[in-house]
Amino acid sequence: MEEGEAAPPAAEEKSGEEEDDLGYRLFPDRNKKPQSFLVRSLFTFHNKCQLMLRMTLDTNPYAQLLLEAMKRSGCTVFNDRHFSCENCDGCVSGGFDSATSQIVLCQNNIRQQSHMNRVVTHELIHAFDHCRAHVDWFKNVKHLACSEIRAANLSGDCTLMNEIARFKFGLKGHHQTCVRDRAIRSILAVRKVSKETAEKAVDEVFDACFNDLEPFGRIPHSKTDAKRAYKDFQNRDRYNANL
């Protein structure tokens, strides 16, 4: 989960007498009847969201690599089917709904193209993990932690420029610290667990999940890095086909 993002894919245990709501409280439009195209077209937020999404899918190398990786893994992503622009709680920007295999984009909270790029990339990493692995989003907090670590690590969430924009500065180990902190925050946003439980889950899987760089093969610290990773990914497949 990127800052201001939440994925409602999993349920944890009951907290006291209150049952976990799977994080869906953050995405109220999930439970509403879909609006007609005519009604949706009247809302500027929805139109802008759709336009920015299309720009991301057509031009952003992070998203393009993930879309191709998903397709090669047998999970082709379709714009109309797998993305949904909706109004969300004020604290989130997007989420991955494993029940419907949809990425929710919070049209009332995503205002800039760079933000859309980051949200789509972050949630596509969750979708990629859902496609390639038997992720137990509903009961295993370690699985959720692992995907959140990978999303924070590979989506550009923790680039130097993004951290400076958050007024967070550091040198040695700063990227790892950012990834860990954001993974913990993501878990706490969608699970009714203690901070200690979230921290323990992240720490127990951190090394393995931080070093799982698929499908990028590297940590893309910039769009240039992502373009190189995308080219390498395409060449890797061509090389394997010629073996």
Side-chain angles (χ1 to χ4, degrees), residues 51-64:
L51 289 172
M52 288 194 296
L53 170 61
R54 174 48 57 195
M55 179 67 71
T56 295
L57 299 181
D58 288 346
T59 66
N60 184 263
Y62 290 86
Q64 290 174 324

Side-chain angles (χ1 to χ4, degrees), residues 19 29 47 58 62 65 81 108 110-111 121 125 128 141 151 169 171 174 195 209 228 237 242:
E19 188 174 358
D29 283 1
N47 288 341
D58 288 346
Y62 290 86
L65 191 159
R81 163 66 181 84
N108 55 319
I110 302 175
R111 306 295 175 82
T121 300
I125 292 170
F128 176 75
V141 70
F169 308 94
L171 295 174
H174 184 73
K195 185 176 181 181
C209 299
R228 293 195 186 105
D237 190 66
N242 291 327

Side-chain angles (χ1 to χ4, degrees), residues 65-220:
L65 191 159
L66 285 159
L67 291 172
E68 188 161 337
M70 293 274 289
K71 183 177 181 179
R72 293 183 187 180
S73 296
C75 301
T76 301
V77 176
F78 298 98
N79 184 4
D80 293 340
R81 163 66 181 84
H82 294 108
F83 294 94
S84 179
C85 289
E86 301 177 8
N87 291 320
C88 307
D89 179 85
C91 71
V92 297
S93 299
F96 174 65
D97 185 351
S98 65
T100 59
S101 296
Q102 273 192 325
I103 289 172
V104 182
L105 301 171
C106 299
Q107 60 193 21
N108 55 319
N109 294 330
I110 302 175
R111 306 295 175 82
Q112 297 179 337
Q113 187 64 50
S114 59
H115 191 190
M116 175 65 79
N117 293 343
R118 201 165 64 247
V119 174
V120 170
T121 300
H122 185 110
E123 302 308 335
L124 277 174
I125 292 170
H126 290 319
F128 176 75
D129 288 346
H130 185 69
C131 172
R132 69 169 182 155
H134 297 292
V135 181
D136 188 352
W137 302 104
F138 293 91
K139 295 181 180 178
N140 195 324
V141 70
K142 290 184 183 179
H143 286 193
L144 176 60
C146 187
S147 193
E148 293 296 357
I149 290 166
R150 282 176 31 76
N153 188 30
L154 300 173
S155 67
D157 290 352
C158 289
T159 61
L160 178 61
M161 293 308 297
N162 283 333
E163 282 293 270
I164 290 175
R166 300 176 189 121
F167 301 101
K168 293 185 178 180
F169 308 94
L171 295 174
K172 186 176 181 180
H174 184 73
H175 180 77
Q176 290 89 333
T177 298
C178 172
V179 169
R180 179 182 181 275
D181 290 348
R182 294 178 73 76
I184 292 169
R185 289 179 58 185
S186 297
I187 295 170
L188 292 176
V190 296
R191 292 294 171 270
K192 293 176 181 176
V193 298
S194 66
K195 185 176 181 181
E196 290 74 19
T197 297
E199 289 174 341
K200 181 180 179 182
V202 168
D203 290 341
E204 287 182 354
V205 301
F206 189 85
D207 288 344
C209 299
F210 183 84
N211 290 305
D212 179 0
L213 305 179
E214 287 300 313
F216 290 91
R218 68 180 78 190
I219 299 175

